[in-house]
Amino acid sequence: MALRTYQDYIDSLKKMRPNIYKFDELIEDVTTHPATRNTVEGHGTSYRLYDNPEEKEILTTTSHLTGEPVSRYLSIIQTAEEMFANSRLKRHMFNLTGTCTGGRCVGWTSLNSMFITSWEIDKEFGTDYHQRLIAWLKDAQARDITIAGALTDPKGDRTKPPSMQDDPDMNLHIVEYRDDGIVVRGAKAMICGVAAANEIFILPGSAYKETDKDYAVSFVIPRDIEGLTIVETRHPSDTREHEEGFDIPVKDGGITQSFLLFEDVFVPKERVFMAGEFKYTLNAIKYFVSTYRAAIGGCVAGQGDVKIGAAVLLARANGLSSKVFNDKIIQMNINNETTFGMGIAAGAMGSKHPSGAWVCDMMLSNVNKVHVATLPYETSRLAQEIGGGISETGCMPSYKDYTSEKYGNLIQKYLKAAHSAESRTRAARLIEWLTIGAGVPGCMHGGGSPDGAKLFVRLLSNMEDKVNMAKRLAGITEDIPEPQKKK
Amino acid sequence: MALRTYQDYIDSLKKMRPNIYKFDELIEDVTTHPATRNTVEGHGTSYRLYDNPEEKEILTTTSHLTGEPVSRYLSIIQTAEEMFANSRLKRHMFNLTGTCTGGRCVGWTSLNSMFITSWEIDKEFGTDYHQRLIAWLKDAQARDITIAGALTDPKGDRTKPPSMQDDPDMNLHIVEYRDDGIVVRGAKAMICGVAAANEIFILPGSAYKETDKDYAVSFVIPRDIEGLTIVETRHPSDTREHEEGFDIPVKDGGITQSFLLFEDVFVPKERVFMAGEFKYTLNAIKYFVSTYRAAIGGCVAGQGDVKIGAAVLLARANGLSSKVFNDKIIQMNINNETTFGMGIAAGAMGSKHPSGAWVCDMMLSNVNKVHVATLPYETSRLAQEIGGGISETGCMPSYKDYTSEKYGNLIQKYLKAAHSAESRTRAARLIEWLTIGAGVPGCMHGGGSPDGAKLFVRLLSNMEDKVNMAKRLAGITEDIPEPQKKK
Amino acid sequence: MALRTYQDYIDSLKKMRPNIYKFDELIEDVTTHPATRNTVEGHGTSYRLYDNPEEKEILTTTSHLTGEPVSRYLSIIQTAEEMFANSRLKRHMFNLTGTCTGGRCVGWTSLNSMFITSWEIDKEFGTDYHQRLIAWLKDAQARDITIAGALTDPKGDRTKPPSMQDDPDMNLHIVEYRDDGIVVRGAKAMICGVAAANEIFILPGSAYKETDKDYAVSFVIPRDIEGLTIVETRHPSDTREHEEGFDIPVKDGGITQSFLLFEDVFVPKERVFMAGEFKYTLNAIKYFVSTYRAAIGGCVAGQGDVKIGAAVLLARANGLSSKVFNDKIIQMNINNETTFGMGIAAGAMGSKHPSGAWVCDMMLSNVNKVHVATLPYETSRLAQEIGGGISETGCMPSYKDYTSEKYGNLIQKYLKAAHSAESRTRAARLIEWLTIGAGVPGCMHGGGSPDGAKLFVRLLSNMEDKVNMAKRLAGITEDIPEPQKKK
Amino acid sequence: MALRTYQDYIDSLKKMRPNIYKFDELIEDVTTHPATRNTVEGHGTSYRLYDNPEEKEILTTTSHLTGEPVSRYLSIIQTAEEMFANSRLKRHMFNLTGTCTGGRCVGWTSLNSMFITSWEIDKEFGTDYHQRLIAWLKDAQARDITIAGALTDPKGDRTKPPSMQDDPDMNLHIVEYRDDGIVVRGAKAMICGVAAANEIFILPGSAYKETDKDYAVSFVIPRDIEGLTIVETRHPSDTREHEEGFDIPVKDGGITQSFLLFEDVFVPKERVFMAGEFKYTLNAIKYFVSTYRAAIGGCVAGQGDVKIGAAVLLARANGLSSKVFNDKIIQMNINNETTFGMGIAAGAMGSKHPSGAWVCDMMLSNVNKVHVATLPYETSRLAQEIGGGISETGCMPSYKDYTSEKYGNLIQKYLKAAHSAESRTRAARLIEWLTIGAGVPGCMHGGGSPDGAKLFVRLLSNMEDKVNMAKRLAGITEDIPEPQKKK
């Protein structure tokens, strides 16, 4: 059963123990509950597409472990071309679902990061994490499961390391090392797509030193494991998902982010890939971000494509030619292609790790993260500018008012322009959803903040080489070092 | 009763006929209904402040009609200094309410525009609109009422003038001219602060030609006039206003925008200031935008001030010094002061109209509109960048989850950082509210779109003078005109 | 002789002792030497314009000392309106000369700064600097002289104060206090328009502490005073000023910046306005920059006007309508009006000092300085973009080649487009001159660097007020101070 | 003789017929004349580097025609990896020479474009252009020559096609078709690196229709062919190249751009690759720009690297730590890596043409061209901002003044800061040279203008696909086409 059907996927979610809450209410069935069904539908798209041969090409590859066809989301990326496929797949999924299906791609990135990191740990310490991961991965590929990924800890006071926090649980940590596994406590925050996932892949949230070694932990668990409580966070206009009508215009996708609360969860050793090897937490992070910050350029480009389409749609519905907005549409395209292209470049300039996995170029990945944190904002602004006042903040009466028996006819009369009131309203609601509504993904801080990325850019910039180029060209022979700090 | 109390204001609203709907439900009391009470509270702030002598200074001036102290919102701006006071007042009100109190300032701008325009109409046509307006204004000042303003028509197909629309009602128009007044039909869309207003001042929505003369209409009406139905539009996360707790963190202000549905409304002639004089519709618009696009720079600066404060607050709550974000905070200040300053400049470079009113410089006003449509977006992005992941899309559990008996303690445990969970959550919710939530005003298209402003910039730029400067400097004597279009 | 003629001005320069060098050569007559004649011509424009009543209005005002008409450049600015006139005058002079006539406006700003500062010093110390300045100024007004201003010291190692430098002369300082005056040694660097000036007004280059009190010095001297040697610096393509033809297309203006070398220069006490009162060096700088950074917005707008004109001219000469470049031209106008407008705003929000002089708003002035350091670069880029390849780096054969007997006919043949080769070449050379040639003023660092301006923005931003606004709105009652540095 | 030595290269230039002029003077020896020696030296670097095995790797590849090692500049790019090598090589050459060595890379791009285009022409018309090109290329590889490339015609009135110009020579054209070749007349303008080239590869300057078929011409000629006169254009501060000292600080590179004047030049048929096949002019341009606009990102990144180095160098020479400017240095790096990375991406997303050559992705190439036309300007501004006043316009006394017997000691005294006066001056002159001096390449319009690139972005953006994505997501079923123009 290497590739399962959409229905298999839905069924697998239905079978799980309910442990997800929102609004202080337990969600019995994530596939039908308004708070989660859209994101499940979005993730489900990745299974539906197997039926279309052209799409299947985008979504699947050959397992290097078994030679079987597998979902790319469960593959180890081994070449630049596969990395390009990663960017393209993410763009495609945003094109189809309008937003993030983070429960697939963060998991993918996490397992790729730990594939490499576990190899390195084993090499130094003689452990068997890498084999465990491979064993688990083979099985995961066979089951074709959906895996969310989780890095971000609550962190508490940002200026203190985990072990110096007043509360040691502010970062997820091992509270007991047992022969058959580990027991962990703490939380992960703002984790995307968990409601649509079968399993969750955990990474350390930062690079740690020896004093924080119990925080150096990576593992993978079923989403409904004992001791894990999940609380979905709010997002803009989220209660509309509980309403009738098209004020949330998109049913084919949706985003959820949750807090994972670990109350002494036992993880069996076969599912543990790091337990105390603090020295490798930095690498786990680095391998994660090098891939993630490359491919996220595809994500925001994919949403940007939809922003362009929505803006043109609304302009036409208003009776205006898209030509009127040519310069804006070109700029939106430039923004999209820049984040997509920089991700491709990071893949192209990457290199093969001895473990067999592909590592993207860190400089280009991190530069891209800065673009991801800025350009989509301009694209959104331009969509709102083209769309006009009703799209800017979704300034139209609610669906209930639109269909009011008392005055709905008037609302519809006045929302009509060159095309039907409904089409125009749906287009405007789509822009709202994409730019200031429930479809806005948290890509600025997701996968780490732009300031962190800038730090990498600075570190990787070979500044002294550049100084030496300039010295040579200017004919300067004197030694001109960085000035010493005055004591 | 030149300056009334907050309680008088509230009472005046309670006494009005209920004619405002949201979610297909009639709002019986705008001062207590969740959909409108925050905006009423925001507008009410302008009455509360009379009690503080320093604030009173900002809010009041002397009526040039009566010599009595009056609210600035009901004054005719007669000097550059009064225009500066306009910008300062708007900034101050955003500082205090966090968002737009459009039911005061659009009305103010409208009455100033028609004060001038009616003077011009009377001069050419011998009508008595100007005296009517003065009579009404004296009374309005005495009653110290709150006046919303309404320009934007639904417009229908953007490429056709009003009379060429399939439906003649797509722009508000006169359907009957009577001796004692006019009857109007149509709608105004996206009108701000109506729920908090006693009256509504109507302006033509565009410049019209003779064939559209029935659309050349300006008047002022009680908000609860017979034949007028008002439907409040949605805004981001608006249903949270109906919830308990602090997911909407701000109670001191709120924004509403509504559709006004005119079903053959009779307006008595004393309240009509233009009725068919299409030739002056362009000027009505011009005088409106010259003031509005200047002062709106104060609005967005005032909200920008709060964005800075909220970002610093959340950084500190995270345990981080604001110094870490120095360059971002400086940029936010630069953005704020630029829109504020350009508005001041438009006032300073303005000129006195023969009617006695002050007209801002159109070039600088319109340049400012372009800044207003761009810089606040960057300020918002920076607030989210400083605030971190929880502020970006408000990615935290709901208040219900925060106070859950089952796991609320864990949510609170993990939301705590350097300060209490509640303070940190409130600060993050404030950033969300300001940047992607219910506090976002529609300033990009409010008062007209940036593309319209750019058109004015182009028209007012004296390009040939600049060409001649360049010619003279370059020593070019040949005539170099614009090339003729090829036939 | 309150307002002298252009010829008087030229004669006054001819009469001075030659003490200016360039290319290791003494310039005998600054009014005819190729290195200086263009800047003299530019400054002379301010005298020529007296003949035109409309221009005279822009250039002159009434002396508050004598009631006589005087050049604005020699006036004390006493109202916001006079400050507006300052911005307008600077814009106008750039319109007419294409570049900076720094020998007038820096002097003006310097004397205004010391007018205020000397008043403050006298108030505290009972000195008579203010009266000395007034006496000198009356005479200067009567003679209608041109005054350069000089602040910038060579400074040596930027991390050390003047008295800690290896060489005490790296900042201009008093080496002898005498009863009849002072003796100064050191240098001032990059001083604008000295060659066109009759006198030079010296300010301290920075804010100093007590250990550096000998550096706290301000005075005014004839340009040709004994002991002063002046060396003109290079600027882009400066040797073209020594060539025939139109490769420097502009003869009506030019910029010079020089190094002033003070070798024990004696300054009589009547001309000394600060001598050791280190406590007031900060204010001297503050009063200077508040005015300077406001009005410089007029300067760069004035040059921006010419950039627009030149770009349109070249587009037309290429056969293209300016409409093709509408969005670029609008952006250029926006940039111009923004720096101009922010300067106006700084004037409008200024305040009257007890000395009678007007002090611009420091926040708005410093914000403007940041715009001045960025927006004109975009305007230049757009001019080059509109102008096409020949304007980008002035990529055309030299005038010598243009007129070559061998192949000049071919060069002219191929430089022709929709208009004559000469007009097209002149227009392209003008863009080159304005954007990458001899006409580029040093406005980014002139009057201090943008990073210094940003420091002021940060200091003046009332951050705690903004934090308190946010706290109040978010309903936060807990004290949330800046975190303390960890020890 | 597949790879020749630097000395061979120099000798080959010395042997050519002098036909290059500047300042109306014939340049007898381009290798020693001040106007051309720097660019010859820059181009010569590409031969010198063969001696270093590591550099040789960057510079050479294997000829697919002969299997011999050849200069990359003479190779046909056949894979994405070779395209990456192109970008890297260009960046490296800018690192080493500080500026453009256009006489190598434009030729390279031209021959790659015509390799493909000639294959296509032959396929349709049965001609033998492709074999001619291969034959010539084998020989060129064996001789290891330097080839400039030339596209840009003078063009005359931009609104008219070549055959409609008043003067038919405004675009290079065939005036005679002979059995043994063609005779051409006209000019090419702003051609880079010709003085350092052995041969010049000519491409049509635009896409032409049938009426302009005589303008559809491509060929390669020796630089000193009979009938060809070359006139070097000016660039900023070019006469400094004729001076002693370090006011031009760089000797290892320099840029020249020239006008090529063709007075009935006969080109033998073996060297002609297109002669009248107008239908393929568009493709010749497309294949050229797809590669060129990708790789130019490496060029400007390479110069950007030097700008960073120069800025840090000057900061240190001023006594300041580079840390003070961290955010600016990071931004400069981001700009560099963006243009470099987008070029890589265009290569990675390219495809193999049936002729065997690699064609870059047109969308990404053209997006990159827009970045190339903007980001380096910001990088330059930041270099000037970090460098301070002396670097902004090179505001320091000339080398003659620096070494003056009269006052040179004082100039040197005052130019000294934390390091020697000479180092500091050289660093400042380098920034000047790079940002506003003779080192500024014409990359905005070189290889076509950004507006042309934007046109491609618009055409290639699959807008209807994006509209359909949006329609599907928003649940819109109505047909919403582009509105028809009103008649």
Side-chain angles (χ1 to χ4, degrees), chain C residues 146 207 313 371 375 399 405:
Chain C
T146 284
L313 208 51
H371 290 314
L375 301 182
Y399 182 76
E405 289 193 9

Side-chain angles (χ1 to χ4, degrees), chain A residues 69-192:
Chain A
V70 289
S71 167
R72 283 199 182 279
Y73 288 124
L74 294 169
S75 69
I76 298 302
I77 300 163
Q78 299 195 300
T79 63
E81 283 68 30
E82 287 169 353
M83 189 57 216
F84 304 159
N86 186 333
S87 290
R88 274 200 216 93
L89 170 49
K90 290 187 173 178
R91 186 170 188 167
H92 190 59
M93 285 298 287
F94 262 81
N95 284 173
L96 292 175
T97 68
T99 188
C100 177
T101 53
R104 297 228 68 170
C105 59
V106 187
W108 185 13
T109 315
S110 299
L111 74 87
N112 270 272
S113 167
M114 285 313 298
F115 183 87
I116 306 173
T117 308
S118 63
W119 186 94
E120 292 182 349
I121 297 176
D122 289 1
K123 187 148 187 284
E124 175 158 358
F125 297 115
T127 40
D128 66 346
Y129 293 127
H130 193 62
Q131 288 314 314
R132 293 180 192 177
L133 192 148
I134 284 174
W136 165 81
L137 181 56
K138 273 187 196 168
D139 185 52
Q141 289 179 343
R143 291 180 292 140
D144 196 17
I145 57 175
T146 283
I147 302 158
L151 282 83
T152 307
D153 295 280
K155 289 202 284 289
D157 186 333
R158 267 62 183 159
T159 55
K160 295 177 186 163
S163 58
M164 299 292 285
Q165 296 286 333
D166 295 341
D167 180 341
D169 301 345
M170 296 314 282
N171 297 272
L172 185 72
H173 59 127
I174 303 172
V175 291
E176 190 185 350
Y177 293 82
R178 287 166 39 177
D179 284 351
D180 56 348
I182 56 176
V183 178
V184 296
R185 190 188 300 152
K188 292 282 181 180
M190 305 184 287
I191 305 308
C192 198

Side-chain angles (χ1 to χ4, degrees), chain A residues 21-26 154-159 165-167 169-171 185-187 190-191 229 231-240 243 247 257-263 317-321 324-325 327-328 373-374 377 380-382 384-401 403-407 410-411 413-418 424 429 432 435-437 440-446 449-451 454, chain B residues 21-26 154-159 165-167 169-171 185-187 190-191 229 231-240 243 247 257-263 317-321 324-325 327-328 373-374 377 380-382 384-401 403-407 410-411 413-418 424 429 432 435-437 440-446 449-451 454:
Chain A
Y21 295 83
K22 189 170 183 180
F23 298 130
D24 199 21
E25 181 206 330
L26 181 64
K155 289 202 284 289
D157 186 333
R158 267 62 183 159
T159 55
Q165 296 286 333
D166 295 341
D167 180 341
D169 301 345
M170 296 314 282
N171 297 272
R185 190 188 300 152
M190 305 184 287
I191 305 308
T229 302
V231 182
E232 290 296 342
T233 64
R234 308 208 72 158
H235 46 255
S237 298
D238 53 358
T239 57
R240 292 194 201 176
E243 301 175 10
D247 288 355
Q257 292 171 287
S258 55
F259 275 47
L260 311 184
L261 308 169
F262 291 84
E263 292 172 279
N318 285 336
L320 297 172
S321 165
V324 174
F325 305 107
D327 58 333
K328 295 180 183 68
T374 47
Y377 285 77
S380 287
R381 184 177 61 70
L382 291 169
Q384 292 181 359
E385 190 170 344
I386 294 170
I390 55 169
S391 74
E392 188 179 343
T393 58
C395 190
M396 295 165 293
S398 71
Y399 182 77
K400 272 190 188 148
D401 293 307
T403 53
S404 166
E405 290 193 9
K406 285 190 282 293
Y407 48 75
L410 290 175
I411 299 299
K413 168 186 171 105
Y414 291 121
L415 280 172
K416 193 176 175 312
R424 185 164 172 256
R429 286 278 175 234
E432 182 196 9
T435 63
I436 196 169
V440 179
C443 291
M444 184 202 268
H445 292 286
S449 296
D451 275 352
K454 287 180 182 172
Chain B
Y21 295 81
K22 189 170 184 180
F23 299 130
D24 199 22
E25 180 206 331
L26 181 65
K155 289 200 286 286
D157 186 334
R158 267 62 185 161
T159 55
Q165 297 285 332
D166 295 341
D167 180 342
D169 301 346
M170 296 313 282
N171 297 271
R185 189 188 301 151
M190 305 185 286
I191 306 307
T229 301
V231 182
E232 290 297 343
T233 65
R234 307 208 72 155
H235 45 257
S237 298
D238 55 356
T239 56
R240 293 194 200 175
E243 300 174 10
D247 289 355
Q257 292 172 286
S258 54
F259 276 45
L260 312 184
L261 308 169
F262 292 83
E263 292 172 280
N318 286 335
L320 297 171
S321 165
V324 174
F325 305 106
D327 57 334
K328 295 179 183 68
T374 48
Y377 285 76
S380 287
R381 184 178 60 72
L382 291 169
Q384 292 181 359
E385 190 171 343
I386 294 171
I390 55 169
S391 74
E392 189 179 345
T393 57
C395 190
M396 296 165 293
S398 70
Y399 182 77
K400 271 191 188 149
D401 294 306
T403 54
S404 165
E405 288 193 10
K406 284 191 281 294
Y407 48 75
L410 290 176
I411 299 299
K413 167 187 171 104
Y414 291 121
L415 280 172
K416 193 177 174 311
R424 185 164 172 256
R429 287 280 175 233
E432 182 196 8
T435 64
I436 195 169
V440 179
C443 291
M444 184 201 269
H445 293 285
S449 295
D451 275 352
K454 286 180 183 173

Side-chain angles (χ1 to χ4, degrees), chain B residues 446-461:
Chain B
S449 295
D451 275 352
K454 286 180 183 173
L455 206 64
F456 274 119
V457 171
R458 181 69 183 75
L459 287 171
L460 298 167
S461 68

